[in-house]
Amino acid sequence: ADAWAIEITQENERGKINGAMFAGQYGGLAIGSSALALLANLFGYPVAFLTAGLSILLIILFPLYVHYTRPSEHHQKIFSLLVQEFKKKTTQLVALFASLLYLSYGLLFAIMLYMKIILKLDIAQIGLITGINCAMIALGSLIGGGIIDRYGKKLALYLFITASIVVTALLVLGTSWQIFSVLFAIIGFLQGGYTAAEGTLCMDVTNPKIGATQFSVLMSLGNIGEIMGIMVSGAVAELLGFPRLFLYAAWVFGPALL
């Protein structure tokens, strides 16, 4: 889907297209996290899992109704072109930036434990707060896309990342569910903005001849950074406590900002 967007998107509209793509993704997450958590709370986890599985079956059927004309076959070697692209300094910097940017989001994965252990929330409340966060990511993606096309990616990244550093550090003040919910929602909005900018940046350095392959690699590197954060988030929370976890999550934005 991302590669398809590269093909159909004009350069001056990439911010809006990226914003719309991420808004759709996180809008679905907002509905799913809230609704499935409520189902789990009312009817148990088996019902929630069954509903999720049936939803996936419906999604599988959707592409059957999408008409797509295959592009003419080209005979360039994908691997050699990919190697050439990643020899470029700009592409290397974008790849490194993508990995660093999502470290913080990965560390914040332990927020689910924080809501359960510290704030004593039940599964429905956790699902609702998570859904609000995802809805704000969708809104931030849409607004961020407009800012990107109007003022450029660099300004958008400075704005959203700097604000994310401040608000993520302020999570140490989220000792009540009300304060925490507001801060977590703002974090979601800011994440939507810098995610749209990062996706647009990856689009700009992607060679259209290998759009699907190169763009997928760049986005996967971002996922690797997120996964690394997720892997250590629980251990950091256990060893150092949630306040320090939140401060570290704010701190790791620094290298990405530089």
Side-chain angles (χ1 to χ4, degrees), residues 14-257:
R14 285 179 177 172
K16 293 177 183 176
I17 292 295
N18 258 296
M21 286 166 52
F22 287 115
Q25 176 183 346
Y26 285 100
L29 283 172
I31 296 170
S33 58
S34 303
L36 292 175
L38 182 61
L39 282 175
N41 193 56
L42 294 175
F43 305 108
Y45 286 101
V47 174
F49 293 150
L50 178 62
T51 304
L54 293 174
S55 300
I56 293 171
L57 287 176
L58 292 175
I59 295 169
I60 290 173
L61 296 175
F62 180 78
L64 298 176
Y65 296 93
V66 176
H67 177 71
Y68 179 64
T69 303
R70 282 184 66 88
S72 59
E73 294 294 334
H74 39 73
H75 302 286
Q76 79 276 3
K77 296 180 180 180
I78 293 177
F79 181 75
S80 61
L81 276 176
L82 187 64
V83 171
Q84 290 176 19
E85 290 298 321
F86 275 89
K87 285 182 178 179
K88 298 177 180 178
K89 184 178 179 181
T90 301
T91 305
Q92 294 171 0
L93 287 173
V94 170
L96 177 61
F97 172 74
S99 298
L100 292 173
L101 184 62
Y102 291 105
L103 271 174
S104 176
Y105 184 68
L107 284 172
L108 290 182
F109 187 79
I111 270 182
M112 304 301 170
L113 297 174
Y114 182 80
M115 289 191 281
K116 184 69 175 178
I117 297 171
I118 305 300
L119 299 181
K120 308 294 184 184
L121 302 180
D122 61 36
I123 183 62
Q125 292 169 319
I126 293 173
L128 178 60
I129 293 173
T130 304
I132 293 172
N133 170 264
C134 291
M136 292 300 289
I137 294 175
L139 179 62
S141 297
L142 290 172
I143 294 177
I147 293 174
I148 292 162
D149 287 336
R150 187 175 181 86
Y151 300 106
K153 297 177 291 296
K154 194 170 184 178
L155 177 62
L157 286 168
Y158 278 137
L159 175 66
F160 287 112
I161 295 176
T162 302
S164 293
I165 293 173
V166 176
V167 181
T168 302
L170 288 177
L171 279 174
V172 298
L173 303 177
T175 53
S176 68
W177 71 266
Q178 295 94 335
I179 297 174
F180 176 83
S181 299
V182 171
L183 291 173
F184 196 35
I186 296 173
I187 286 172
F189 177 83
L190 297 172
Q191 182 192 340
Y194 68 68
T195 297
E198 187 267 340
T200 306
L201 192 62
C202 291
M203 272 189 176
D204 286 348
V205 301
T206 295
N207 185 340
K209 293 180 180 179
I210 49 171
T213 304
Q214 186 178 353
F215 191 80
S216 296
V217 171
L218 289 170
M219 299 305 290
S220 295
L221 290 171
N223 292 336
I224 289 172
E226 180 182 340
I227 291 169
M228 290 174 60
I230 291 173
M231 289 174 63
V232 302
S233 61
V236 173
E238 180 71 23
L239 294 173
L240 303 177
F242 286 103
R244 288 189 180 182
L245 171 70
F246 297 150
L247 292 176
Y248 279 122
W251 179 82
V252 296
F253 272 119
L257 185 63

